[in-house]
Amino acid sequence: MENEIKTPPQLPNSSMTVFERISNSVILKMFVIFVLLLIMMIPMSLVDDLVRERRDREQQVSSEIAAKWGRDQVIASPVLAVPYDYVSEVIEKDSKGKEVVVQRVEQDWMFLLPSHSQVQTDIKPENLKRGIYESVVYNSNFTIKGNFAGLDMKLLPVAADKMRWSEAQLVFGIQDVKGLSSDPELEWAGQKMPLSMDVRNFQLFNNNMAANLPLTKGEDTKFDFQIRVKLRGSKSINFLPLANHTLVQAKGSWGNPSFNGAYLPETREVTDKEFNASWNIPSFGRKLPQQWSGGNDRVYRFSGMSLAEANFDHYIETTDAAGVASANIEAATDMDMVQINFLPEVNNYQKTTRVAKYGILVIVLTFASLFFTEIIKKQRIHLIQYILIGAAMILFYSLLLAISEHLGFNIAYLLAALATIGLIASFIKMITKDNRTALLFTGILGLFYGFIFVLMQLRDYSLIVGTVGVFIILAILMRISTKINWYQFDKQ
């Protein structure tokens, strides 16, 4: 009885009708399988949409955490600002409607950048969780030291005695003041001074903090300064070099930093648990002059987006009617900064997306293996069974996505692959009633999924290894096809 069950159905004979002969045609079967593969691309696109939806949800939660903890931070050297009065002439109409020239006394600012600046920071990133999602945040301690070489009196817009030295300010900027863990500490010429928010006089930074400086004359602008800040933030930290010469030294307890921006570190040491990097930056790429007057505008525009969208345009230096050098101040961008990104150790959604790109290839190879099994074993496999096997292979990606959100990518990949291979192998055993065929497909599917996992680990070499691997698989299928007498089906 058992032998009768294992007896494969006979190939069609000449007594069959035309419809039956077409229905059992190998060429027709190949065409229908091809159409089925095209249909399978629809649920694969739905898997991509699902991965994108979960990734967007993670980014949304990450943004909510950052809004409460502290967003991407930008640190820049302070700017020395000295006010001055000047007389402007405007034309107005008097009570009789006659145009008259009216003189007004107005106030503006002279700005000076540091000569040297040294930034030292110790950063301690950590993962902050909300539900199944997490975001990288950090605590940091900054020390900014430097000095001003003094104003060039020849470039003052007014006479030196017209400068209001006693009202000079040191302006320091913070991107997100919500990240301040304590009040910043300023030392000017060895004297401690408080920094307070200034929302009226300056627009240099996103948030301006200013301190009154006890200046009496122009020579007083030649002093040292030191600022200490405890700052919280998320995702990245950025340094805008404004001094003639800037030295940045950063260390942190994170094994996966990404150094971006306009400058790469001169020295770096990255281990599994920490990093140490330094930058030595001259002012040649700076968009601002050493000193300027009147341009009380933002010195940078931070987007926090893809650095490829930033530009490298530079400020345009012009000369005003009085012959004094001035500048058309152009804001710096992300690409003018030193940037350290704190990437998650494992990006499950990115890896799942990369695996899903190979999904249709795995289905094609599996269907090809099934088709050759039909021909060699003379064991028919119904199109409905092809569809069920394809559905199981697509479900693999949903399993991978769901499990990786809780257990991590590697464990999720192993569990999803074992579940999918076991399901398909047992299904093929029930179809063919042959243990050897089921074991053969277990090995084939294991090879396919193992090959894709290896590609995920190679990164830089994934293209060449993947191409060579697919070439070898194609060569094997071509070799197997030579063992089949395809003309026998034409005769029948």
Side-chain angles (χ1 to χ4, degrees), residues 171 440 455:
V171 187
L440 176 62
L455 290 182

Side-chain angles (χ1 to χ4, degrees), residues 216-263:
T216 58
K217 56 185 182 302
E219 287 74 12
D220 291 345
T221 56
K222 299 179 181 180
F223 275 107
D224 298 336
F225 67 88
Q226 178 174 288
I227 300 175
R228 291 189 179 93
V229 186
K230 291 183 178 180
L231 196 61
R232 299 188 307 184
S234 60
K235 297 182 181 177
S236 73
I237 196 161
N238 307 266
F239 310 95
L240 178 62
L242 294 179
N244 266 341
H245 184 269
T246 303
L247 176 64
V248 179
Q249 295 175 318
K251 64 178 182 178
S253 54
W254 194 254
N256 192 30
S258 176
F259 303 110
N260 291 319
Y263 311 93

